[in-house]
Amino acid sequence: MSNLNDIHLSSTSAALLGDYWPGIQIYYPPVKYAPSLGIYEDLEQASQRFKKHAVHTTAHTLLFDLEDGCRQKEMSRELLRHELPGMPRRKQVQIAIRINPFRTEEYEKDLSLIRDLADYIDVVMLAKAGEAYGSAEIRDLSAVLVGLNHRMTIQPIIEHPKSLKIAPDLMQYATVKHVVFGIHDFSKAMGIQITPRHWTVELAYFMNQVLFEARIAGKGVIGGVETLIGQSAMPESSVEPDDVRRWLDLHGDDESRVVYQHACEEAAMGMTGKQVIHPFHIHPCKVAYTPSPTDTKTKIAILKAAIEADALLGGAIKFNGEMLDPPMFGKALQTLLRAHSLHALSVEDTAFAVEVLKKLPEQVIRENWPYGAIL
């Protein structure tokens, strides 16, 4: 999959395309428990693991959890203070910190860490957002972050029906580009017994509510965390659907197939990211979320045919035995923009997508792509 490290888009083009998406976010424990030894790492061991694994992740977002998944909080903060400033930055990898609930003692310590490392953090993920103080939590956190780094964004985690009820209020702030649906805490709060294989069905009603509110607000939604961990890693050379299915059939295990299927379902619903807990999850979820090279090529051909027939804004064309009209052209354009948002669109194809956008009225752009800005 290509990326845009060497592309310098004009300010107009960049605004039309919007920011890159969270994509596949891997939870990375700063200080990890070693079951084989029955103890936690010390700072030196955690640092060595950081340099070996965190620096070279293939995920779109490296997510450091200081909340529920973190037992050694002080040591974890110390590790991040030491490692993040020297970590090589890559455009296709965002750095996110999951902080503790608003106004708790640990929250204040997390804010102190963020103040110290503001230049090295892209996203602050707020656990249990809005449960205690409502949308004022996002307002106050936004005020702090804007004063530190205007590019830093907030990803509220909706983990309780109280948060879902005020979802539009949580999404009203410019610092919020995407929200997270925290399926495990949410199901616990609702008393719903979800299962690792069928949670997408068991929580479909509430997931659709989150997506509905986010779409109105022009925000993205990050999907649920999978708990199933397989025994084998899908090769990164598998990027076309046929290659992926072949590997899953011949070499994959049941866990890999379930995780991939869930990711496909979420991507089809328009989600902008997914959280994972194991490196084996990264590539299956990336290929589920990212348009394949063949799909991208087909969508470009559709748009070129529509432009040639002067049907982009009205009219219909026949393409590969199918009648297509403007809604279908909009979906084709969405595929290209989705690929760009996940660092998977070439320089030439990105330029083509921008040219198509410039042919559309502002209202049509908003209908097709609410994640960008209209200049």
Side-chain angles (χ1 to χ4, degrees), residues 203-217:
L203 291 179
Y205 175 78
F206 304 103
M207 191 154 52
N208 288 337
Q209 281 186 283
V210 176
L211 285 163
F212 180 76
E213 297 294 352
R215 184 60 184 81
I216 292 174

Side-chain angles (χ1 to χ4, degrees), residues 44-319:
E44 183 179 351
Q45 292 168 326
S47 177
Q48 291 174 351
R49 180 170 57 86
F50 187 100
K51 291 179 174 66
K52 182 178 180 181
H53 297 292
V55 170
H56 302 291
T57 185
T58 57
H60 296 108
T61 302
L62 193 57
L63 172 54
F64 297 105
D65 186 10
L66 297 176
E67 199 231 354
D68 281 349
C70 181
R71 181 67 181 87
Q72 302 292 334
K73 297 184 189 295
E74 285 300 331
M75 193 184 300
S76 294
R77 294 188 190 101
E78 186 177 350
L79 177 75
L80 294 177
R81 280 193 171 95
H82 184 265
E83 298 294 340
L84 278 186
M87 180 179 178
R89 293 306 305 269
R90 291 181 287 157
K91 187 175 182 180
Q92 65 268 39
V93 179
Q94 298 180 30
I95 301 299
I97 306 286
R98 178 182 176 182
I99 64 175
N100 289 273
F102 188 74
R103 291 278 176 87
T104 60
E105 182 179 347
E106 296 295 341
Y107 171 87
E108 299 301 333
K109 294 178 181 179
D110 293 340
L111 282 192
S112 177
L113 173 73
I114 292 168
R115 289 188 181 97
D116 293 342
L117 299 176
D119 291 338
Y120 312 104
I121 297 171
D122 303 303
V123 177
V124 174
M125 194 173 289
L126 180 61
K128 299 170 177 59
E131 292 182 26
Y133 299 95
S135 63
E137 297 181 12
I138 307 301
R139 181 197 65 203
D140 290 5
L141 180 56
S142 297
V144 172
L145 298 186
V146 168
L148 298 173
N149 179 348
H150 71 279
R151 296 183 302 275
M152 208 181 306
T153 62
I154 300 171
Q155 291 175 3
I157 310 179
I158 296 175
E159 304 183 76
H160 194 279
K162 288 182 180 179
S163 301
L164 179 56
K165 187 175 182 180
I166 63 168
D169 298 328
L170 298 176
M171 298 177 194
Q172 69 178 302
Y173 298 95
T175 48
V176 176
K177 307 292 185 183
H178 307 265
V179 298
V180 182
F181 186 37
I183 64 171
H184 299 291
D185 278 280
F186 188 90
S187 61
K188 179 192 70 174
M190 290 293 295
I192 300 173
Q193 298 298 320
I194 62 173
T195 57
R197 285 171 170 76
H198 303 293
W199 67 263
T200 54
V201 175
E202 293 153 351
L203 291 179
Y205 175 78
F206 304 103
M207 191 154 52
N208 288 337
Q209 281 186 283
V210 176
L211 285 163
F212 180 76
E213 297 294 352
R215 184 60 184 81
I216 292 174
K219 313 293 183 176
V221 177
I222 300 167
V225 179
E226 305 289 347
T227 57
L228 295 175
I229 301 175
Q231 300 298 318
S232 52
M234 181 186 294
E236 293 189 18
S237 59
S238 297
V239 293
E240 295 288 358
D242 288 345
D243 297 330
V244 173
R245 284 191 291 267
R246 186 179 301 111
W247 182 87
L248 289 172
D249 290 342
L250 298 177
H251 309 289
D253 44 43
D254 186 52
E255 290 82 2
S256 299
R257 286 187 279 270
V258 171
V259 170
Y260 174 71
Q261 180 58 39
H262 287 173
C264 287
E265 292 174 18
E266 290 175 329
M269 295 170 73
M271 290 191 177
T272 55
K274 183 172 181 62
Q275 297 182 337
V276 301
I277 60 172
H278 195 279
F280 285 176
H281 291 160
I282 295 175
H283 191 65
C285 293
K286 278 181 85 170
V287 294
Y289 266 73
T290 308
S292 69
T294 297
D295 191 23
T296 298
K297 184 178 179 180
T298 299
K299 297 305 191 293
I300 289 174
I302 290 173
L303 289 169
K304 286 183 175 179
I307 292 171
E308 184 178 348
D310 194 22
L312 199 60
L313 297 176
I317 63 170
K318 183 179 180 182
F319 185 88

